[in-house]
């Protein structure tokens, strides 16, 4: 089951890259970012992690991986980070939330909508965390070089 999920996350992330015209040489790297994010998301619950924590950690790892790949491949990191979070997006949860509202089950709709927004917030927070870590590391490295010149 995990191998099927990894293959589908690789394919969906690569399809997203193709759809949005990223450079051809970076399509596979975008797929790898999505596959790594899904792998982390799938393995953390085995360590008794909640859905929000596993979503946050996997989004942060996708963000860090995207920053590193953008340096090596010399393209913007959004090519990888957007494609990498595609397998993490809670689309079915949002659909079930809207379906509950349509079926006049407002309590279930509000519950599912709240969970959907929390997962989306975890994805956004993880992406911001990864970017912040790389920015801090770059800033500390350049600050050390400035201190040596003076």
């Amino acid at each position: 089951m995990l191998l099927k999920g990894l293959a589908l996350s690789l394919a969906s992330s690569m399809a997203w890259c193709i759809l949005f015209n990223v450079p051809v040489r970076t399509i596979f790297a975008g797929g790898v970012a999505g596959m790594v994010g899904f792998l982390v998301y799938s393995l953390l619950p085995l360590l008794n992690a909640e859905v929000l924590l596993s979503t946050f950690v996997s989004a942060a790892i996708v963000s860090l991986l995207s920053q590193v790949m953008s340096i090596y491949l010399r393209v913007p990191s959004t090519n990888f980070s957007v494609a990498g979070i595609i397998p993490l997006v809670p689309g079915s949860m949002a659909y079930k939330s809207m379906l509950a509202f349509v079926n006049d089950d407002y309590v279930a709709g509000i519950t599912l909508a709240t969970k959907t927004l929390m997962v989306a917030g975890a994805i956004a927070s993880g992406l911001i965390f990864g970017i912040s870590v790389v920015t801090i590391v770059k800033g500390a490295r350049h600050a050390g070089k400035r201190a040596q010149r003076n």
Side-chain angles (χ1 to χ4, degrees), residues 11 39 50 55 69 89-90 102 116:
L39 179 66
E50 293 290 327
T55 304
M69 287 192 296
V89 173
V102 169
T116 303

Side-chain angles (χ1 to χ4, degrees), residues 49-133:
E50 293 290 327
V51 173
L52 289 177
L53 178 64
S54 60
T55 304
F56 173 79
V57 171
S58 59
I61 288 176
V62 165
S63 179
L64 289 169
L65 184 63
S66 298
Q67 296 291 322
V68 170
M69 287 192 296
S70 73
I71 292 168
Y72 286 116
L73 295 174
R74 296 186 179 173
V75 293
S77 65
T78 54
N79 289 346
F80 309 114
S81 61
V82 172
I85 64 167
I86 291 302
L88 304 176
V89 173
S92 65
M93 196 182 309
Y95 172 77
K96 289 175 187 174
S97 170
M98 293 300 114
L99 188 64
F101 282 119
V102 169
N103 291 330
D104 293 331
D105 189 3
Y106 298 115
V107 174
I110 290 173
T111 303
L112 286 169
T114 304
K115 287 181 184 178
T116 303
L117 289 174
M118 289 173 63
V119 170
I123 291 171
S125 300
L127 287 174
I128 291 170
F129 179 78
I131 292 170
S132 299
V133 167

Side-chain angles (χ1 to χ4, degrees), residues 11-52:
S12 66
S13 296
M14 287 176 66
W16 187 265
C17 289
I18 292 168
L19 183 66
F20 286 94
N21 294 327
V22 301
V24 174
R25 64 187 175 89
T26 64
I27 290 174
F28 184 71
V32 168
M35 190 172 65
V36 168
F38 180 78
L39 179 66
V40 172
Y41 178 78
S42 298
L43 291 180
L44 282 178
L46 298 177
L47 302 172
N48 295 325
E50 293 290 327
V51 173
L52 289 177

